[in-house]
Protein backbone atom coordinates (compact mmCIF):
# COMPACT_ATOMS: atom_id res chain seq x y z
CA UNK A 1 0.00 0.00 0.00
CA UNK A 2 1.28 3.46 -0.96
CA UNK A 3 -0.23 6.45 0.88
CA UNK A 4 -0.53 9.69 -1.07
CA UNK A 5 0.19 13.11 0.46
CA UNK A 6 -3.30 14.47 -0.01
CA UNK A 7 -5.71 15.82 2.54
CA UNK A 8 -5.29 18.42 5.19
CA UNK A 9 -2.07 18.91 7.12
CA UNK A 10 -2.16 18.94 10.93
CA UNK A 11 -2.89 22.66 11.27
CA UNK A 12 -5.48 22.57 8.52
CA UNK A 13 -7.20 19.62 10.23
CA UNK A 14 -7.36 21.62 13.44
CA UNK A 15 -8.87 24.59 11.60
CA UNK A 16 -11.39 22.28 9.89
CA UNK A 17 -12.34 20.77 13.25
CA UNK A 18 -12.68 24.24 14.80
CA UNK A 19 -14.90 25.45 11.94
CA UNK A 20 -16.99 22.28 12.20
CA UNK A 21 -17.46 22.71 15.96
CA UNK A 22 -18.41 26.35 15.38
CA UNK A 23 -21.17 25.28 12.96
CA UNK A 24 -22.34 22.57 15.36
CA UNK A 25 -22.65 25.11 18.18
CA UNK A 26 -24.48 27.62 15.97
CA UNK A 27 -26.79 24.92 14.64
CA UNK A 28 -27.50 23.65 18.15
CA UNK A 29 -28.38 27.16 19.29
CA UNK A 30 -30.68 27.76 16.33
CA UNK A 31 -32.32 24.36 16.86
CA UNK A 32 -32.82 25.00 20.58
CA UNK A 33 -34.28 28.41 19.83
CA UNK A 34 -36.66 26.81 17.36
CA UNK A 35 -37.72 24.15 19.85
CA UNK A 36 -38.37 26.82 22.48
CA UNK A 37 -40.08 29.16 20.03
CA UNK A 38 -42.58 26.48 19.09
CA UNK A 39 -44.04 26.63 22.57
CA UNK A 40 -44.96 23.91 24.93
CA UNK A 41 -45.83 23.63 28.61
CA UNK A 42 -44.52 27.11 29.43
CA UNK A 43 -47.24 28.69 27.28
CA UNK A 44 -44.93 31.16 25.51
CA UNK A 45 -46.46 30.49 22.11
CA UNK A 46 -50.18 30.91 21.84
CA UNK A 47 -52.10 28.30 19.93
CA UNK A 48 -53.44 30.10 16.88
CA UNK A 49 -55.75 28.65 14.30
CA UNK A 50 -52.88 27.91 11.94
CA UNK A 51 -50.20 27.09 14.52
CA UNK A 52 -47.86 29.72 13.04
CA UNK A 53 -45.56 29.70 16.04
CA UNK A 54 -45.20 25.93 15.91
CA UNK A 55 -44.40 26.06 12.19
CA UNK A 56 -41.76 28.78 12.72
CA UNK A 57 -40.30 26.76 15.58
CA UNK A 58 -40.10 23.66 13.39
CA UNK A 59 -38.39 25.64 10.61
CA UNK A 60 -35.77 26.96 13.04
CA UNK A 61 -35.23 23.45 14.43
CA UNK A 62 -34.84 22.01 10.92
CA UNK A 63 -32.37 24.75 9.91
CA UNK A 64 -30.44 24.11 13.12
CA UNK A 65 -30.22 20.40 12.30
CA UNK A 66 -28.94 21.16 8.79
CA UNK A 67 -26.26 23.47 10.18
CA UNK A 68 -25.20 20.80 12.70
CA UNK A 69 -25.02 18.21 9.88
CA UNK A 70 -22.85 20.60 7.85
CA UNK A 71 -20.52 21.05 10.84
CA UNK A 72 -20.18 17.29 11.28
CA UNK A 73 -19.40 16.91 7.56
CA UNK A 74 -16.71 19.63 7.76
CA UNK A 75 -15.05 17.84 10.69
CA UNK A 76 -15.20 14.41 9.04
CA UNK A 77 -13.88 15.77 5.75
CA UNK A 78 -10.94 17.47 7.47
CA UNK A 79 -10.04 14.46 9.60
CA UNK A 80 -10.82 11.49 7.32
CA UNK A 81 -9.83 12.59 3.79
CA UNK A 82 -7.05 10.36 2.45
CA UNK A 83 -5.93 8.66 -0.75
CA UNK A 84 -3.74 5.62 -1.33
CA UNK A 85 -2.72 3.02 -3.89
CA UNK A 86 -2.87 -0.73 -3.35
CA UNK A 87 -1.29 -2.22 -6.45
CA UNK A 88 -3.11 -0.59 -9.36
CA UNK A 89 -6.26 0.14 -7.35
CA UNK A 90 -6.63 3.73 -6.09
CA UNK A 91 -8.71 4.53 -2.99
CA UNK A 92 -10.07 7.88 -1.86
CA UNK A 93 -11.69 8.15 1.57
CA UNK A 94 -14.05 11.07 2.03
CA UNK A 95 -16.22 12.20 4.91
CA UNK A 96 -18.65 9.29 4.73
CA UNK A 97 -17.37 6.64 2.32
CA UNK A 98 -14.36 5.22 0.51
CA UNK A 99 -14.33 4.91 -3.28
CA UNK A 100 -11.94 2.84 -5.35
CA UNK A 101 -11.11 2.39 -9.03
CA UNK A 102 -8.54 0.15 -10.72
CA UNK A 103 -6.33 2.66 -12.53
CA UNK A 104 -4.99 -0.06 -14.88
CA UNK A 105 -8.42 -0.50 -16.49
CA UNK A 106 -10.06 2.88 -15.88
CA UNK A 107 -10.14 5.81 -18.24
CA UNK A 108 -7.81 8.32 -16.57
CA UNK A 109 -7.28 11.97 -17.47
CA UNK A 110 -6.12 15.19 -15.87
CA UNK A 111 -8.77 17.46 -14.43
CA UNK A 112 -8.91 20.45 -12.16
CA UNK A 113 -10.89 21.61 -9.17
CA UNK A 114 -11.40 25.34 -8.83
CA UNK A 115 -12.08 26.96 -5.49
CA UNK A 116 -12.00 30.46 -4.13
CA UNK A 117 -9.73 31.96 -1.51
CA UNK A 118 -11.19 35.37 -0.84
CA UNK A 119 -11.65 36.94 -4.25
CA UNK A 120 -8.96 34.85 -5.93
CA UNK A 121 -9.84 31.67 -7.84
CA UNK A 122 -7.43 28.80 -7.12
CA UNK A 123 -7.21 25.84 -9.50
CA UNK A 124 -5.81 22.50 -8.30
CA UNK A 125 -4.76 19.79 -10.77
CA UNK A 126 -6.45 16.42 -10.25
CA UNK A 127 -6.32 12.89 -11.58
CA UNK A 128 -9.80 11.88 -12.74
CA UNK A 129 -10.56 8.16 -13.17
CA UNK A 130 -13.71 6.42 -14.39
CA UNK A 131 -14.22 2.66 -14.30
CA UNK A 132 -15.65 1.68 -17.71
CA UNK A 133 -17.47 -1.37 -16.29
CA UNK A 134 -19.21 0.20 -13.28
CA UNK A 135 -19.10 3.91 -14.08
CA UNK A 136 -17.51 4.58 -10.66
CA UNK A 137 -15.48 7.79 -10.60
CA UNK A 138 -12.60 8.94 -8.48
CA UNK A 139 -10.77 12.25 -8.12
CA UNK A 140 -7.28 12.44 -6.62
CA UNK A 141 -5.71 15.87 -6.01
CA UNK A 142 -2.25 16.08 -7.59
CA UNK A 143 -1.30 18.82 -5.18
CA UNK A 144 -1.17 18.46 -1.44
CA UNK A 145 -2.74 21.08 0.75
CA UNK A 146 -0.27 23.89 1.33
CA UNK A 147 2.84 22.18 -0.04
CA UNK A 148 2.37 22.16 -3.79
CA UNK A 149 2.59 19.20 -6.15
CA UNK A 150 2.72 15.65 -4.82
CA UNK A 151 6.27 14.28 -4.38
CA UNK A 152 7.81 12.70 -7.52
CA UNK A 153 7.72 9.17 -6.05
CA UNK A 154 3.94 9.45 -5.52
CA UNK A 155 3.38 10.82 -9.02
CA UNK A 156 5.48 7.93 -10.41
CA UNK A 157 3.42 5.42 -8.39
CA UNK A 158 0.21 6.86 -9.88
CA UNK A 159 1.76 6.79 -13.38
CA UNK A 160 2.88 3.18 -12.95
CA UNK A 161 -0.56 2.09 -11.71
CA UNK A 162 -2.43 3.77 -14.57
CA UNK A 163 -0.06 2.58 -17.32
CA UNK A 164 0.08 -1.04 -16.12
CA UNK A 165 -1.03 -3.38 -18.92
CA UNK A 166 -2.14 -0.63 -21.31
CA UNK A 167 -2.40 -1.41 -25.02
CA UNK A 168 -2.56 0.62 -28.21
CA UNK A 169 -6.15 1.89 -28.20
CA UNK A 170 -6.73 5.64 -28.42
CA UNK A 171 -7.93 5.78 -24.80
CA UNK A 172 -4.86 3.82 -23.67
CA UNK A 173 -2.57 6.20 -25.55
CA UNK A 174 -4.19 9.20 -23.83
CA UNK A 175 -3.68 7.56 -20.44
CA UNK A 176 -0.05 6.67 -21.28
CA UNK A 177 0.66 10.30 -22.30
CA UNK A 178 -0.81 11.52 -19.03
CA UNK A 179 1.31 8.94 -17.15
CA UNK A 180 4.44 10.29 -18.85
CA UNK A 181 3.44 13.82 -17.83
CA UNK A 182 3.24 12.66 -14.22
CA UNK A 183 6.59 10.86 -14.43
CA UNK A 184 8.32 13.96 -15.80
CA UNK A 185 6.85 16.37 -13.22
CA UNK A 186 9.34 17.75 -10.75
Amino acid sequence: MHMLSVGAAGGQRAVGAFVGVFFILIGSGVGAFGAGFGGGADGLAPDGPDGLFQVVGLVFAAVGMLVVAFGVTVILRAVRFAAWLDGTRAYVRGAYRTRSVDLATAYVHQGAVTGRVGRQAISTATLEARDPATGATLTIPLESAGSGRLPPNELRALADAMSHGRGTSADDQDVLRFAETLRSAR
Side-chain angles (χ1 to χ4, degrees):
M1 184 165 59
H2 190 96
M3 292 299 294
L4 301 174
S5 305
V6 299
Q12 292 166 328
R13 286 181 186 199
V15 169
F18 175 78
V19 168
V21 168
F22 175 77
F23 277 102
I24 289 171
L25 292 173
I26 295 296
S28 297
V30 169
F33 174 77
F37 191 77
D42 59 5
L44 290 177
D47 290 330
D50 60 352
L52 178 63
F53 285 104
Q54 285 80 14
V55 171
V56 170
L58 286 174
V59 168
F60 271 96
V63 168
M65 289 182 357
L66 289 173
V67 173
V68 167
F70 177 74
V72 169
T73 301
V74 168
I75 291 171
L76 290 175
R77 173 86 174 153
V79 173
R80 287 184 39 91
F81 186 76
W84 65 93
L85 286 172
D86 190 1
T88 60
R89 184 160 285 279
Y91 294 85
V92 174
R93 184 178 62 209
Y96 296 106
R97 65 181 177 171
T98 301
R99 294 180 180 200
S100 73
V101 170
D102 187 356
L103 294 180
T105 59
Y107 178 69
V108 184
H109 66 280
Q110 184 169 352
V113 174
T114 303
R116 298 197 73 76
V117 177
R119 293 182 179 185
Q120 183 179 9
I122 304 290
S123 183
T124 302
T126 60
L127 180 147
E128 307 284 333
R130 184 183 49 78
D131 187 319
T134 65
T137 61
L138 192 69
T139 300
I140 300 174
L142 294 177
E143 299 177 16
S144 59
S147 62
R149 208 146 186 52
L150 293 180
N153 64 318
E154 294 178 16
L155 293 173
R156 274 193 306 276
L158 286 168
D160 292 345
M162 60 196 256
S163 60
H164 182 76
R166 294 286 177 170
T168 58
S169 75
D171 284 346
D172 284 348
Q173 292 304 307
D174 289 343
V175 173
L176 291 172
R177 277 192 291 280
F178 180 37
E180 283 309 310
T181 302
L182 293 179
R183 284 187 182 102
S184 65
R186 303 227 182 261

